[in-house]
Amino acid sequence: RGLNELNMVRDIRIDGRRVSTLIALTIPGCPLKSYFQEVIPAKLKERWPEIEHVAVELTSMTEDERQALIGGIRQDSPAPFARPESPTQVIAVGSGKGGVGKSTTTVNLAASLAKLGHSVGLLDADVWGFSIPRMFGIHERPTVVEDMIMPPEMFGVKVVSIGLFTTEDNPVVWRGPMLHKALQQFLTDVHWDEPDYLIVDLPPGTGDVSISIAQFLPGAAMVIVTTPQAVAEKVAQRAGFMAEKTGLKVAGVIENMSFFRGDDDKVYRIFGEGGGNTLAQRLGVPLLGEIPIDPELRRFADSGAPIVLQAPD
């Protein structure tokens, strides 16, 4: 939404080549203060190069104004993405097995879609093993206005994760009902604003979280991630069958860690081969891609920069 549409621009004064504006933030301690003070002058000078100076003054909304704002942007459905008319395509990335690269796949898929010009949201549903904030380089907490969460955005992707509300080394010790409620809040209390795509990073296994996601997002498609190894393929297969039983549509399979290409240009298939293709055939879906083992992919993930953006070739 634009600042004018949200009634946040309260005053504009022009004195020759100098401009001053008054912006009403939602709350006094809004973490976006510095953002507005940097971006508004840059935008105005880009549009009107003759402007010499822009002063941005900040105030905050009254309680009544804040309630009116929330009422204007709140989703009108308890499960906005579950509506038949929702324009959002939901893609859940899962596997029965941990450590196969679900989060890496999720991050790079989301960044790729945003790079193509789509609006994208990313829900980190791996409450116990969250890693999306580190992989996206997001360290600030989401802005919360009343009971609505405004997700931080990085590389054009809006991101929500339990990792944004706790520290990276703090374990989340929750059981089924709390997980269910947390996921419900992430879907209904976050201002996603109906993106073109919502990518969901599922935890390993076929337990509570996967069942809840299937319940909340009955129209979602699912991408299964596996490695070439037969053991991983068999475990990933269970996630595919779980998806079918709960009404999710398996869209395809991605094989990660397919091979390693050494300095001698020789291909080494460290984890065997064929697991992804075998799984795709069992599920009757396409093999969408084979991702090699690449130290750069690991390095960029650890530094919070998706490889599809940093080294697209």
Side-chain angles (χ1 to χ4, degrees):
R1 301 290 193 275
L3 297 182
N4 285 314
E5 183 184 350
L6 296 175
N7 193 32
M8 294 175 71
V9 180
R10 298 303 171 83
D11 188 33
I12 299 175
R13 297 194 185 108
I14 302 173
D15 182 11
R17 295 177 180 269
R18 302 175 68 87
V19 176
S20 62
T21 181
L22 178 64
I23 305 295
L25 302 177
T26 52
I27 52 177
C30 178
L32 293 177
K33 283 182 177 180
S34 59
Y35 171 83
F36 287 123
Q37 289 171 331
E38 292 174 10
V39 170
I40 291 176
K43 289 284 187 182
L44 291 178
K45 290 179 180 179
E46 178 184 350
R47 176 64 178 83
W48 292 285
E50 61 270 24
I51 294 177
E52 293 179 352
H53 178 73
V54 178
V56 180
E57 299 177 57
L58 301 174
T59 184
S60 57
M61 294 182 175
T62 65
E63 177 65 23
D64 289 343
E65 290 171 337
R66 195 158 48 244
Q67 291 294 339
L69 171 69
I70 294 299
I73 64 176
R74 178 175 293 283
Q75 302 285 3
D76 57 1
S77 166
F81 302 115
R83 300 196 316 263
E85 70 273 16
S86 173
T88 302
Q89 170 65 63
V90 180
I91 301 174
V93 180
S95 178
K97 189 169 176 57
V100 297
K102 294 182 298 299
S103 296
T104 304
T105 301
T106 300
V107 163
N108 284 284
L109 177 60
S112 296
L113 288 168
K115 186 179 179 181
L116 290 171
H118 298 290
S119 56
V120 183
L122 198 168
L123 168 59
D124 184 1
D126 193 351
V127 175
W128 298 303
F130 56 86
S131 56
I132 295 296
R134 170 181 280 270
M135 289 186 175
F136 258 114
I138 299 176
H139 305 290
E140 72 271 18
R141 287 187 166 218
T143 301
V144 180
V145 182
E146 299 300 324
D147 58 352
M148 178 171 284
I149 302 167
M150 305 298 179
E153 186 172 319
M154 186 65 73
F155 307 117
V157 179
K158 292 180 178 179
V159 178
V160 165
S161 167
I162 195 66
L164 299 177
F165 297 90
T166 185
T167 57
E168 196 172 37
D169 56 354
N170 189 35
V172 178
V173 188
W174 288 355
R175 300 185 72 177
M178 291 183 70
L179 293 170
H180 186 86
K181 182 61 179 176
L183 291 173
Q184 184 179 41
Q185 284 191 277
F186 282 167
L187 288 169
T188 59
D189 292 349
V190 172
H191 181 53
W192 294 108
D193 203 20
E194 294 198 309
D196 297 329
Y197 291 92
L198 177 70
I199 314 298
V200 182
D201 184 27
L202 294 177
T206 56
D208 291 329
V209 172
S210 298
I211 295 170
S212 293
I213 288 295
Q215 177 182 335
F216 292 139
L217 305 169
M222 189 170 183
V223 171
I224 306 292
V225 181
T226 186
T227 63
Q229 191 174 1
V231 170
E233 178 265 319
K234 285 294 184 183
V235 179
Q237 177 182 305
R238 296 171 204 157
F241 290 160
M242 179 277 299
E244 293 173 351
K245 286 183 178 181
T246 55
L248 299 180
K249 177 187 175 184
V250 180
V253 171
I254 292 176
E255 183 183 271
N256 195 25
M257 308 180 202
S258 293
F259 60 87
F260 173 73
R261 188 180 297 277
D263 293 337
D264 56 3
D265 206 38
K266 185 178 178 180
V267 170
Y268 297 87
R269 298 194 178 273
I270 299 170
F271 295 107
E273 59 182 306
N277 191 53
T278 299
L279 178 59
Q281 290 181 6
R282 288 181 189 275
L283 297 175
V285 297
L287 177 63
L288 301 174
E290 297 172 310
I291 303 173
I293 298 172
D294 190 330
E296 289 292 274
L297 189 149
R298 191 276 311 159
R299 184 172 68 84
F300 282 124
D302 285 346
S303 63
I307 194 171
V308 293
L309 303 181
Q310 303 303 318
D313 293 338

